[in-house]
Short mmCIF file of all heavy atoms in Angstrom, two decimals:
data_model
loop_
_atom_site.label_atom_id
_atom_site.label_comp_id
_atom_site.label_asym_id
_atom_site.label_seq_id
_atom_site.Cartn_x
_atom_site.Cartn_y
_atom_site.Cartn_z
N PRO A 1 0.80 -1.24 0.01
CA PRO A 1 0.01 -0.01 -0.03
C PRO A 1 0.85 1.25 0.02
O PRO A 1 1.86 1.36 0.68
CB PRO A 1 -0.81 -0.12 1.29
CG PRO A 1 -0.95 -1.62 1.50
CD PRO A 1 0.39 -2.19 1.05
N VAL A 2 0.40 2.24 -0.77
CA VAL A 2 1.08 3.54 -0.89
C VAL A 2 0.00 4.67 -0.94
O VAL A 2 -1.18 4.39 -1.10
CB VAL A 2 1.94 3.63 -2.21
CG1 VAL A 2 3.04 2.59 -2.16
CG2 VAL A 2 1.05 3.46 -3.45
N SER A 3 0.48 5.87 -0.82
CA SER A 3 -0.38 7.02 -1.07
C SER A 3 -0.33 7.35 -2.54
O SER A 3 0.73 7.30 -3.15
CB SER A 3 0.10 8.19 -0.22
OG SER A 3 -0.77 9.31 -0.40
N VAL A 4 -1.48 7.68 -3.10
CA VAL A 4 -1.53 7.91 -4.53
C VAL A 4 -1.97 9.35 -4.94
O VAL A 4 -2.04 9.66 -6.11
CB VAL A 4 -2.50 6.93 -5.23
CG1 VAL A 4 -2.00 5.51 -5.03
CG2 VAL A 4 -3.92 7.06 -4.68
N LYS A 5 -2.18 10.17 -3.93
CA LYS A 5 -2.58 11.56 -4.26
C LYS A 5 -2.06 12.51 -3.21
O LYS A 5 -1.66 12.10 -2.08
CB LYS A 5 -4.10 11.69 -4.39
CG LYS A 5 -4.90 11.50 -3.13
CD LYS A 5 -6.39 11.51 -3.41
CE LYS A 5 -7.21 11.42 -2.12
NZ LYS A 5 -7.19 12.66 -1.34
N GLY A 6 -2.04 13.79 -3.56
CA GLY A 6 -1.55 14.79 -2.63
C GLY A 6 -0.05 14.83 -2.47
O GLY A 6 0.72 14.15 -3.22
N ALA A 7 0.40 15.51 -1.44
CA ALA A 7 1.83 15.72 -1.21
C ALA A 7 2.55 14.40 -0.87
O ALA A 7 3.74 14.29 -1.05
CB ALA A 7 2.06 16.75 -0.11
N GLU A 8 1.81 13.42 -0.31
CA GLU A 8 2.42 12.19 0.11
C GLU A 8 2.39 11.09 -0.99
O GLU A 8 2.84 9.98 -0.73
CB GLU A 8 1.67 11.65 1.36
CG GLU A 8 1.71 12.57 2.54
CD GLU A 8 3.12 12.87 3.02
OE1 GLU A 8 3.90 11.90 3.03
OE2 GLU A 8 3.41 14.02 3.34
N ALA A 9 1.92 11.43 -2.16
CA ALA A 9 1.84 10.43 -3.22
C ALA A 9 3.25 9.90 -3.59
O ALA A 9 4.22 10.65 -3.57
CB ALA A 9 1.20 11.07 -4.47
N ASN A 10 3.32 8.60 -3.86
CA ASN A 10 4.61 8.05 -4.23
C ASN A 10 5.00 8.57 -5.62
O ASN A 10 4.20 9.17 -6.33
CB ASN A 10 4.63 6.52 -4.17
CG ASN A 10 4.01 5.86 -5.38
OD1 ASN A 10 3.20 6.46 -6.06
ND2 ASN A 10 4.41 4.64 -5.64
N SER A 11 6.28 8.36 -6.00
CA SER A 11 6.80 8.95 -7.19
C SER A 11 6.05 8.58 -8.45
O SER A 11 5.89 9.36 -9.40
CB SER A 11 8.27 8.59 -7.37
OG SER A 11 8.47 7.20 -7.52
N VAL A 12 5.54 7.33 -8.50
CA VAL A 12 4.84 6.84 -9.69
C VAL A 12 3.54 7.68 -9.90
O VAL A 12 3.29 8.21 -11.00
CB VAL A 12 4.48 5.35 -9.56
CG1 VAL A 12 3.61 4.89 -10.72
CG2 VAL A 12 5.75 4.52 -9.51
N PHE A 13 2.79 7.82 -8.86
CA PHE A 13 1.50 8.54 -8.99
C PHE A 13 1.70 10.06 -9.10
O PHE A 13 0.88 10.74 -9.68
CB PHE A 13 0.52 8.15 -7.87
CG PHE A 13 -0.18 6.87 -8.17
CD1 PHE A 13 0.42 5.66 -7.82
CD2 PHE A 13 -1.38 6.83 -8.83
CE1 PHE A 13 -0.20 4.41 -8.11
CE2 PHE A 13 -2.01 5.65 -9.12
CZ PHE A 13 -1.45 4.45 -8.75
N SER A 14 2.79 10.55 -8.55
CA SER A 14 3.09 11.98 -8.78
C SER A 14 3.33 12.23 -10.26
O SER A 14 2.83 13.21 -10.82
CB SER A 14 4.35 12.38 -7.98
OG SER A 14 4.06 12.34 -6.62
N TYR A 15 4.05 11.31 -10.86
CA TYR A 15 4.36 11.39 -12.29
C TYR A 15 3.04 11.25 -13.12
O TYR A 15 2.82 12.03 -14.06
CB TYR A 15 5.35 10.31 -12.67
CG TYR A 15 5.61 10.18 -14.15
CD1 TYR A 15 6.50 11.08 -14.81
CD2 TYR A 15 5.03 9.17 -14.92
CE1 TYR A 15 6.77 10.95 -16.16
CE2 TYR A 15 5.30 9.05 -16.27
CZ TYR A 15 6.15 9.93 -16.88
OH TYR A 15 6.41 9.84 -18.24
N LEU A 16 2.25 10.29 -12.82
CA LEU A 16 0.99 10.10 -13.54
C LEU A 16 0.06 11.30 -13.40
O LEU A 16 -0.54 11.75 -14.35
CB LEU A 16 0.26 8.83 -13.00
CG LEU A 16 0.97 7.47 -13.15
CD1 LEU A 16 0.21 6.39 -12.45
CD2 LEU A 16 1.26 7.13 -14.60
N SER A 17 -0.02 11.81 -12.17
CA SER A 17 -0.90 12.93 -11.91
C SER A 17 -0.48 14.21 -12.60
O SER A 17 -1.32 15.03 -13.06
CB SER A 17 -0.96 13.20 -10.38
OG SER A 17 -1.46 12.10 -9.70
N GLU A 18 0.83 14.41 -12.77
CA GLU A 18 1.35 15.57 -13.48
C GLU A 18 0.86 15.60 -14.93
O GLU A 18 0.62 16.67 -15.49
CB GLU A 18 2.85 15.59 -13.44
CG GLU A 18 3.47 15.99 -12.13
CD GLU A 18 4.97 15.84 -12.08
OE1 GLU A 18 5.54 15.50 -13.17
OE2 GLU A 18 5.58 16.09 -11.05
N GLN A 19 0.69 14.42 -15.51
CA GLN A 19 0.31 14.33 -16.94
C GLN A 19 -1.21 14.26 -17.12
O GLN A 19 -1.70 14.83 -18.11
CB GLN A 19 0.99 13.14 -17.59
CG GLN A 19 2.51 13.28 -17.64
CD GLN A 19 3.15 12.30 -18.59
OE1 GLN A 19 2.71 12.08 -19.69
NE2 GLN A 19 4.20 11.66 -18.14
N HIS A 20 -1.89 13.55 -16.23
CA HIS A 20 -3.33 13.35 -16.49
C HIS A 20 -4.21 13.44 -15.23
O HIS A 20 -5.29 12.90 -15.18
CB HIS A 20 -3.58 11.98 -17.17
CG HIS A 20 -3.36 12.02 -18.64
ND1 HIS A 20 -4.36 12.42 -19.54
CD2 HIS A 20 -2.25 11.71 -19.38
CE1 HIS A 20 -3.83 12.36 -20.76
NE2 HIS A 20 -2.59 11.98 -20.71
N GLY A 21 -3.68 14.13 -14.24
CA GLY A 21 -4.49 14.36 -13.02
C GLY A 21 -4.43 13.20 -12.05
O GLY A 21 -4.20 12.07 -12.43
N GLU A 22 -4.60 13.53 -10.76
CA GLU A 22 -4.51 12.49 -9.72
C GLU A 22 -5.80 11.67 -9.68
O GLU A 22 -6.83 12.07 -10.18
CB GLU A 22 -4.22 13.13 -8.35
CG GLU A 22 -5.32 13.99 -7.81
CD GLU A 22 -4.89 14.63 -6.48
OE1 GLU A 22 -3.74 14.61 -6.13
OE2 GLU A 22 -5.84 15.08 -5.75
N PRO A 23 -5.69 10.48 -9.07
CA PRO A 23 -6.87 9.62 -9.00
C PRO A 23 -8.06 10.32 -8.33
O PRO A 23 -7.91 10.98 -7.30
CB PRO A 23 -6.42 8.44 -8.18
CG PRO A 23 -4.94 8.43 -8.32
CD PRO A 23 -4.54 9.87 -8.41
N SER A 24 -9.23 10.18 -8.95
CA SER A 24 -10.44 10.80 -8.41
C SER A 24 -11.13 9.86 -7.38
O SER A 24 -11.97 10.31 -6.57
CB SER A 24 -11.44 11.14 -9.51
OG SER A 24 -11.73 9.99 -10.27
N TRP A 25 -10.77 8.58 -7.47
CA TRP A 25 -11.34 7.53 -6.59
C TRP A 25 -10.55 6.27 -6.77
O TRP A 25 -9.53 6.25 -7.57
CB TRP A 25 -12.81 7.31 -6.91
CG TRP A 25 -13.58 6.50 -5.89
CD1 TRP A 25 -14.13 5.29 -6.11
CD2 TRP A 25 -13.83 6.84 -4.53
NE1 TRP A 25 -14.75 4.83 -4.91
CE2 TRP A 25 -14.60 5.78 -3.97
CE3 TRP A 25 -13.55 7.96 -3.75
CZ2 TRP A 25 -15.03 5.79 -2.63
CZ3 TRP A 25 -13.98 7.95 -2.43
CH2 TRP A 25 -14.72 6.90 -1.88
N ASN A 26 -10.87 5.20 -6.07
CA ASN A 26 -10.19 3.92 -6.26
C ASN A 26 -10.44 3.40 -7.68
O ASN A 26 -11.45 3.70 -8.32
CB ASN A 26 -10.71 2.91 -5.26
CG ASN A 26 -10.58 3.37 -3.86
OD1 ASN A 26 -9.52 3.77 -3.40
ND2 ASN A 26 -11.67 3.32 -3.05
N PHE A 27 -9.52 2.59 -8.14
CA PHE A 27 -9.63 1.94 -9.44
C PHE A 27 -9.64 2.89 -10.62
O PHE A 27 -10.28 2.62 -11.61
CB PHE A 27 -10.77 0.92 -9.47
CG PHE A 27 -10.50 -0.31 -8.65
CD1 PHE A 27 -10.85 -0.35 -7.29
CD2 PHE A 27 -9.88 -1.40 -9.21
CE1 PHE A 27 -10.57 -1.46 -6.54
CE2 PHE A 27 -9.59 -2.52 -8.47
CZ PHE A 27 -9.93 -2.57 -7.09
N ASN A 28 -8.92 4.03 -10.47
CA ASN A 28 -8.58 4.79 -11.67
C ASN A 28 -7.52 4.02 -12.39
O ASN A 28 -6.70 3.33 -11.75
CB ASN A 28 -8.10 6.18 -11.29
CG ASN A 28 -9.22 7.19 -11.07
OD1 ASN A 28 -9.03 8.39 -11.23
ND2 ASN A 28 -10.43 6.74 -10.75
N LYS A 29 -7.49 4.16 -13.67
CA LYS A 29 -6.55 3.36 -14.50
C LYS A 29 -5.74 4.32 -15.37
O LYS A 29 -6.33 5.16 -16.05
CB LYS A 29 -7.29 2.33 -15.32
CG LYS A 29 -8.21 1.45 -14.52
CD LYS A 29 -9.35 0.88 -15.33
CE LYS A 29 -10.42 0.25 -14.45
NZ LYS A 29 -11.22 1.28 -13.75
N TYR A 30 -4.44 4.11 -15.40
CA TYR A 30 -3.54 4.94 -16.22
C TYR A 30 -2.88 4.07 -17.23
O TYR A 30 -2.22 3.09 -16.89
CB TYR A 30 -2.48 5.64 -15.36
CG TYR A 30 -3.00 6.67 -14.37
CD1 TYR A 30 -3.52 6.29 -13.14
CD2 TYR A 30 -2.95 8.04 -14.68
CE1 TYR A 30 -3.98 7.20 -12.23
CE2 TYR A 30 -3.43 8.96 -13.76
CZ TYR A 30 -3.95 8.56 -12.54
OH TYR A 30 -4.39 9.49 -11.65
N LEU A 31 -3.01 4.43 -18.51
CA LEU A 31 -2.37 3.69 -19.56
C LEU A 31 -1.10 4.44 -19.95
O LEU A 31 -1.16 5.62 -20.33
CB LEU A 31 -3.30 3.55 -20.78
CG LEU A 31 -2.73 2.73 -21.96
CD1 LEU A 31 -2.43 1.28 -21.54
CD2 LEU A 31 -3.70 2.71 -23.12
#
């Protein structure tokens, strides 16, 4: 388990969020 949004998001989700926004809820999918 990791944090996927906000300041505590891990590096993977920080990168994903920069390009297409952070997860709005569980089971968001990034291609």
Side-chain angles (χ1 to χ4, degrees):
V2 296
S3 182
V4 298
K5 66 185 185 73
E8 300 300 318
N10 82 334
S11 62
V12 174
F13 279 86
S14 292
Y15 174 79
L16 299 174
S17 298
E18 286 174 3
Q19 296 195 45
H20 278 276
E22 65 182 17
S24 56
W25 192 245
N26 303 308
F27 287 89
N28 275 205
K29 306 155 192 74
Y30 294 83
L31 183 61

